Amino acid sequence: MSAEARSFYARLIHFCRLALIVAIAWLVTERASKWAESGSGERMDAILSEMADEGNAWLTSPEGDEVMGWAGPTTLVLIPDGLDQVAFPLILRSADSASYVARVADHPEFLPSLFGLELHELGDWQVDAVSGATLTSRAIIGAVRRKFGGVSPPGPFPLMLLESKEPGNWTLQGVAVADAGYQGPTQVVLEFGADDRLIRLVLSESFDNDPYVSDVRLDSSFLRTFTGRSLEELAGLEVGRSGVEGVSGATMTSQGIARTVRATAEKELVLRNEGRTTVEPLALARSPRELLGWMVGGVALLVLITPLRRRRAARKLLRIGVVLGFGMGAGALLSLDAAWSWAQHGLPWQSAPLLAGFVVAAILGPAFFGRKAYCRSLCAHGALQQLLAPRARGRVAPKLDALFRRLPGTLLTAAILLPVLTQASSSSGIELASWEPFAAWTPQSAAMASLILAGLSLLASAWVPLAYCHYACPTGALLEYLRHRPQQILRRGDFVAFALLVSALASR
């Protein structure tokens, strides 16, 4: 076969290969979106439908969905016995991290405290929150009390009221968990006058780091930024603009508080049926830290696209910039866990367009240009390993090298098969973030397994150059499979991908 013919067939097969990947991605996305909507598997659906028909399945949804955990509500299903007492409590779905949900589900005293409670007793259910999953467990308590008692704590904090000296004054209590600061949400209490203008802003309990919260409490100029504003003006706040800047040294905490104030005012207006909610502007970055990260990473990227990349010192600066910018700053790393989240909810074009563009560029590079620019130059974890590489002197025996190089593809195949065949999702206990070390770059929300894996992978890379990239990275395996090679027609991965497609079609 001539070189021209071989190149033609290679391009044709590569086009089919990309179509194969798109088909698998579409089927996995279809399954993921169904999970995002229902949050339960076929086995649980069968149980619930049977119990619901007989009136013997109690769910905290939809009333309990008003109580938010770390990222959203958690739905509990309670199956009673013949005496209308709880016989089997089970977490049906949760918007929170799988690691938090697992801590709650496995706790020996939390859910078991529901056993034997009668229907009229559920509205007063009290149990200690689970350490390490406080927000999730408190949200479950609130959801149960809201559903079966009609009342619940307004969030993960106890009710706090302000004493007002003037008649006609009133207060709002707000906790916008989705707008948490650095480590978690902060409770705010807003005191309004009779004219609906803010008189006082009080910070109560917080899950954020104490030094940051204390800095905000002591910054009277920041708190005065909100006073005197009407309910409508607070609902229209633009964080970072209009004088609402962050507190120096506590930017994430203070801006999270500002967004909480805005969300609280918005909710009050909605409850008044005035329909005045603000539209989030297109956010190039979700925080000043992330914006700075993109700036540092962007400067480093200039080295990659200029002749400077041929100089050793410039390449080292590129890697340092990627580590500080894309890694520690923006947290922009591709991962299986992120891919599953995007399959459920789509790429974050509105909330984080730079990240979405980063993802698309990382995929298009190997698919159409044959260059793994992401793995070689833009992955923060890979860049850190490259900085360690000059000190690495170890080698792996040829037979072990050949064996270990199959591990990334095996992990990638398992990550696709588990959701497709077992109908499992991250909310049901398979936490893909724990399969890779990338979540450790945002340590405030990383699972312990990711932190441990990150440490071990860096230690291994200090011994064998790029050990994790070569022997354990399933995301890198996907990008390698997408890579266009003009002289290569068929690959071993093509047969695996075809088998995955058949499995996905068979499980629909």
Side-chain angles (χ1 to χ4, degrees):
M1 183 184 297
S2 65
E4 291 80 5
R6 187 176 185 85
S7 178
F8 170 77
Y9 284 117
R11 287 194 298 269
L12 179 62
I13 295 298
H14 184 66
F15 176 81
C16 297
R17 183 177 297 117
L18 295 180
L20 183 64
I21 290 296
V22 170
I24 294 174
W26 181 79
L27 291 171
V28 172
T29 300
E30 183 184 42
R31 176 63 55 84
S33 61
K34 288 180 179 179
W35 267 102
E37 293 173 359
S38 65
S40 59
E42 291 181 359
R43 183 179 66 86
M44 184 54 59
D45 286 340
I47 294 175
L48 288 178
S49 60
E50 180 180 352
M51 293 296 179
D53 291 341
E54 299 176 359
N56 288 328
W58 306 336
L59 275 73
T60 58
S61 181
E63 293 86 350
D65 293 343
E66 298 178 8
V67 185
M68 305 290 284
W70 168 255
T74 297
T75 298
L76 205 67
V77 57
L78 305 173
I79 300 177
D81 58 16
L83 300 176
D84 278 349
Q85 295 177 340
V86 176
F88 187 56
L90 183 67
I91 296 176
L92 176 61
R93 53 180 173 265
S94 177
D96 285 358
S97 170
S99 60
Y100 300 148
V101 177
R103 289 191 188 106
V104 173
D106 297 337
H107 195 273
E109 298 177 1
F110 186 79
L111 291 181
S113 67
L114 287 164
F115 288 129
L117 293 184
E118 297 181 2
L119 184 62
H120 66 87
E121 296 176 315
L122 292 174
D124 298 319
W125 178 44
Q126 290 285 357
V127 63
D128 291 336
V130 176
S131 177
T134 307
L135 294 177
T136 302
S137 53
R138 286 190 177 181
I140 292 174
I141 297 171
V144 171
R145 294 183 60 187
R146 178 65 177 170
K147 170 71 176 185
F148 301 104
V151 295
S152 68
F157 303 100
L159 183 64
M160 175 183 175
L161 296 176
L162 285 174
E163 294 184 3
S164 178
K165 297 180 180 180
E166 299 292 335
N169 290 5
W170 56 281
T171 61
L172 277 178
Q173 182 178 239
V175 178
V177 177
D179 291 319
Y182 182 70
Q183 290 280 13
T186 298
Q187 181 187 36
V188 300
V189 179
L190 311 175
E191 181 183 7
F192 290 87
D195 57 354
D196 282 357
R197 290 192 175 273
L198 186 67
I199 299 174
R200 197 169 32 143
L201 168 63
V202 177
L203 305 184
S204 182
E205 295 188 44
S206 177
F207 281 88
D208 219 331
N209 289 12
D210 182 63
Y212 302 143
V213 179
S214 297
D215 288 345
V216 176
R217 285 196 176 103
L218 294 174
D219 194 322
S220 57
S221 62
F222 173 76
L223 299 178
R224 285 198 302 267
T225 301
F226 305 94
T227 57
R229 295 178 184 257
S230 67
L231 194 62
E232 291 80 2
E233 290 171 339
L234 292 174
L237 286 176
E238 294 185 24
V239 179
R241 303 176 184 175
S242 304
V244 185
E245 300 289 347
V247 175
S248 178
T251 305
M252 295 183 67
T253 299
S254 55
Q255 292 198 345
I257 291 170
R259 289 191 293 269
T260 297
V261 171
R262 179 180 63 191
T264 304
E266 287 177 354
K267 184 176 180 180
E268 175 65 17
L269 288 177
V270 170
L271 292 176
R272 294 184 179 191
N273 296 320
E274 294 189 14
R276 300 179 192 168
T277 58
T278 60
V279 178
E280 282 287 333
L282 190 66
L284 296 181
R286 293 164 291 186
S287 69
R289 172 174 171 265
E290 184 176 340
L291 179 59
L292 179 61
W294 283 112
M295 292 173 63
V296 174
V299 172
L301 187 59
L302 291 177
V303 177
L304 180 64
I305 61 178
T306 63
L308 288 173
R309 67 181 181 275
R310 300 188 182 96
R311 299 188 178 185
R312 180 179 299 178
R315 291 196 299 270
K316 186 174 183 179
L317 288 176
L318 165 65
R319 291 159 188 162
I320 293 175
V322 167
V323 169
L324 296 178
F326 293 151
M328 299 175 66
L333 288 89
L334 303 186
S335 66
L336 298 178
D337 184 61
W340 178 261
S341 175
W342 295 328
Q344 289 180 303
H345 309 292
L347 279 172
W349 294 109
Q350 180 65 28
S351 61
L354 285 177
L355 176 60
F358 183 81
V359 172
V360 173
I363 294 175
L364 293 183
F368 293 98
F369 302 103
R371 298 184 60 185
K372 291 174 62 179
Y374 173 79
C375 290
R376 291 182 177 180
S377 305
L378 301 180
C379 173
H381 203 71
L384 186 54
Q385 291 180 83
Q386 287 177 325
L387 292 173
L388 296 172
R391 300 178 180 272
R393 295 292 185 268
R395 292 185 178 180
V396 178
K399 291 185 178 180
L400 288 178
D401 178 83
L403 179 63
F404 289 163
R405 285 184 182 273
R406 296 182 181 180
L407 180 59
T410 302
L411 290 174
L412 176 63
T413 303
I416 297 174
L417 277 176
L418 284 173
V420 169
L421 297 184
T422 65
Q423 300 184 4
S425 73
S426 59
S427 62
S428 65
I430 297 179
E431 190 176 7
L432 294 179
S434 299
W435 290 31
E436 297 175 300
F438 305 134
W441 289 87
T442 52
Q444 65 271 20
S445 58
M448 183 58 65
S450 295
L451 296 172
I452 294 175
L453 185 57
L456 292 177
S457 65
L458 293 178
L459 286 175
S461 297
W463 176 54
V464 177
L466 298 174
Y468 179 78
C469 295
H470 292 156
Y471 302 127
C473 183
T475 300
L478 174 60
L479 296 179
E480 178 64 28
Y481 179 69
L482 290 174
R483 185 181 177 188
H484 176 48
R485 297 178 180 176
Q487 300 304 319
Q488 188 178 40
I489 298 179
L490 287 176
R491 310 175 192 172
R492 183 188 300 112
D494 295 333
F495 301 100
V496 177
F498 183 76
L500 286 174
L501 178 63
V502 173
S503 299
L505 289 172
S507 64
R508 292 189 66 187

